Amino acid sequence: MTPLPFARPELGAAEQQAAARALASGWITQGPEVAAFEREFAAFVGAPYACAVSSATAALHLALRAAGVGPHDEVITVSHSFIATANVIRYCGACPVFVDVERWTGNMDPSLIERVLTPKTRAILCVHQLGLPCDLAAIGAIARRAGVPLIEDAACAVGSEIFVDGGWERIGRPHSDIACFSFHPRKLVTTGDGGMLTTRNAEWDARFRLWRQHGMSVPDTVRHGSPTVIFESYPVLGYNYRMTDLQAAVGREQLKRLPALLEDRRRRAERYNAIFSDVPGVVLPAAVAWARTNWQSYRLGLPDGIDQREIMQRLLDDGVPTRRGVMCAHREPSYGDSDWSCGAGPGACGCGPEHCDRLRESERAQDRTILLPLYPGMTDEEQDRVARALARAVTTREFVDS
Ligand SMILES: *Cc1c(COP(=O)(O)O)cnc(C)c1O
């Protein structure tokens, strides 16, 4: 039997034509397609401002800069996330201070934040784990009390929603100070690579635009259209974090597909839930009343006594690829003893290895969950194949006892 895909982007004729349109226009980097994608994305999530960049990592870096994060500052975040979440804090010379996650939602535990707040805390960076919104109301209240900005790593959360003041709102309005999205091919909307910052702060939006293009005072789009000679200047240190018009043209088509894609994923996830509610010991994905995930990934908790690697191997042998639970940055060698960028050394500011015993749920979530195949166009038959392989794997005797 041919193996199933684990995930795949939904790209078709519309995206091909859009890319061809951008190529034919003669303007291929940050230009009119980027501007249109920003407008359409802002309208989709309900944000006053949206600024496109080259990746979510770039977006997060700029968000932290806008928040004023610099050397020797601390930023409270989770270790249990893709490593870019913690890395961007170190890009600023600051120190990530990790708090543990809630069991099974995998999201930042708001009750643990206050104890790690210090005078050096410069921002809180929360993550919507695999698309499931974290508790923005609780975390936002803590950030406001502490007087520090809250930034959302919404890399996985395009199309996710939370219930606010009697209605559903999309992640990215934003419900914090800045939300950062990813358009990597593993996310629901892809531009190959790409990212977006949304904010309500006009001044920050202007800064993102300056920083993403080398700190250039007058963008090339303006200079090219000007009847008079313009000399640009470089008032601040910037980066090359541009999105290309090729990417943005594709992103605009992807955005049109998103509502149907979301509906399809919800239906598939509910079908998985119904199937697995009969399998003894497995823990279904967390559901919270005030949030709707976009089902970026379908995550299952493993029954006790079942080895993660072994069950993943058994499923793979059956042609069903899976992924282990989301990583924990603090377990990676680049977060070992000697490589902290804050300069204070491990432990001096609450980071470092001795912090790790406080991250028990994070480690458990990485080790005791697996992600199952979920992709556009998945059929009932294919889902049933995943279900049969999983049921077989968890009920095999010698395996359970090992
Ligand atoms: C994918 C992802 C990122 C990084 O996104 P890029 O666009 O690849 O830079 C950051 N944080 C989380 C939670 C992610 O899932």
Side-chain angles (χ1 to χ4, degrees):
M1 259 207 277
T2 45
L4 296 174
F6 174 71
R8 70 172 168 227
E10 172 99 312
L11 295 162
E15 284 81 1
Q16 289 173 23
Q17 281 157 19
R21 178 182 75 219
L23 275 173
S25 77
W27 193 289
I28 52 175
T29 194
Q30 186 180 288
E33 294 284 354
V34 166
F37 185 37
E38 288 170 343
R39 279 195 303 276
E40 289 159 11
F41 192 89
F44 181 79
V45 299
Y49 301 100
C51 178
V53 288
S54 52
S55 67
T57 306
L60 289 163
H61 185 198
L62 297 188
L64 292 180
R65 268 201 73 181
V69 175
H72 311 299
D73 288 336
E74 296 175 4
V75 177
I76 296 171
T77 190
V78 289
S79 169
H80 181 56
S81 178
F82 183 60
I83 198 162
T85 310
N87 283 353
V88 291
I89 298 168
R90 293 172 59 188
Y91 291 177
C92 299
C95 186
V97 174
F98 296 133
V99 296
D100 212 356
V101 296
E102 302 162 332
R103 187 171 288 194
W104 305 127
T105 71
N107 270 321
M108 179 181 269
D109 185 339
S111 71
L112 302 176
I113 297 173
E114 255 151 345
R115 71 185 69 167
V116 295
L117 277 169
T118 76
K120 291 201 282 181
T121 305
R122 185 55 70 100
I124 299 175
L125 174 54
C126 64
V127 180
H128 303 305
Q129 190 69 260
L130 301 173
L132 178 68
C134 63
D135 191 346
L136 279 168
I139 300 169
I142 294 165
R144 274 192 302 279
R145 272 203 302 279
V148 297
L150 174 63
I151 296 161
E152 292 164 75
D153 181 340
C156 292
V158 67
S160 298
E161 294 166 291
I162 58 170
F163 199 74
V164 185
D165 297 332
W168 289 99
E169 295 185 354
R170 292 207 172 100
I171 291 295
R173 268 182 93 79
H175 301 92
S176 61
D177 293 287
I178 305 166
C180 301
F181 293 87
S182 172
F183 306 126
H184 180 270
R186 270 288 276 118
K187 322 295 184 184
L188 266 61
V189 164
T190 187
T191 59
D193 257 310
M196 192 76 81
L197 294 123
T198 62
T199 184
R200 263 176 268 104
N201 186 322
E203 195 194 311
W204 283 357
D205 181 68
R207 261 189 254 174
F208 300 151
R209 286 163 200 284
L210 205 57
W211 284 332
R212 73 174 169 178
Q213 194 170 19
H214 306 287
M216 190 189 291
S217 62
V218 184
D220 42 13
T221 37
V222 174
R223 275 185 290 124
H224 282 261
S226 170
T228 55
V229 173
I230 296 178
F231 291 168
E232 80 280 15
S233 70
Y234 298 83
V236 297
L237 177 68
Y239 311 88
N240 179 357
Y241 283 171
R242 281 185 299 247
M243 175 182 278
T244 69
D245 259 29
L246 279 163
Q247 292 169 308
V250 170
R252 294 175 70 191
E253 297 304 323
Q254 288 275 287
L255 209 51
K256 290 183 200 160
R257 288 186 194 273
L258 186 55
L261 200 70
L262 285 167
E263 205 165 299
D264 186 53
R265 293 183 89 85
R266 290 201 171 118
R267 205 164 48 82
R268 287 280 151 225
E270 278 159 23
R271 197 162 178 278
Y272 264 152
N273 281 346
I275 293 169
F276 296 132
S277 59
D278 290 341
V279 180
V282 303
V283 183
L284 298 182
V288 288
W290 46 266
R292 288 183 185 147
T293 175
N294 62 1
W295 295 104
Q296 152 77 40
S297 289
Y298 186 89
R299 189 181 92 138
L300 214 52
L302 296 175
D304 289 338
I306 285 191
D307 183 74
Q308 185 190 46
R309 187 184 288 267
E310 202 172 331
I311 195 170
M312 290 174 67
Q313 187 61 53
R314 280 171 187 243
L315 285 161
L316 193 59
D317 293 345
D318 266 351
V320 177
T322 57
R323 299 288 180 270
R324 68 173 179 173
V326 171
M327 66 178 299
C328 291
H330 74 277
R331 285 171 141 181
E332 294 301 317
S334 54
Y335 281 75
D337 286 349
S338 58
D339 197 22
W340 290 85
S341 64
C342 64
C349 56
C351 60
E354 82 296 340
H355 203 88
C356 300
D357 59 2
R358 312 219 301 253
L359 301 173
R360 212 163 291 133
E361 294 301 335
S362 300
E363 295 184 354
R364 185 190 158 94
Q366 179 182 5
D367 298 342
R368 302 303 306 157
T369 63
I370 57 171
L371 313 183
L372 299 186
L374 182 62
Y375 47 87
M378 190 179 200
T379 63
D380 285 357
E381 217 164 82
E382 288 168 335
Q383 254 193 316
D384 292 341
R385 206 176 129 193
V386 175
R388 275 196 307 275
L390 190 105
R392 215 165 24 241
V394 296
T395 51
T396 305
R397 241 315 348 117
E398 83 274 19
F399 178 44
V400 172
D401 292 336
S402 69

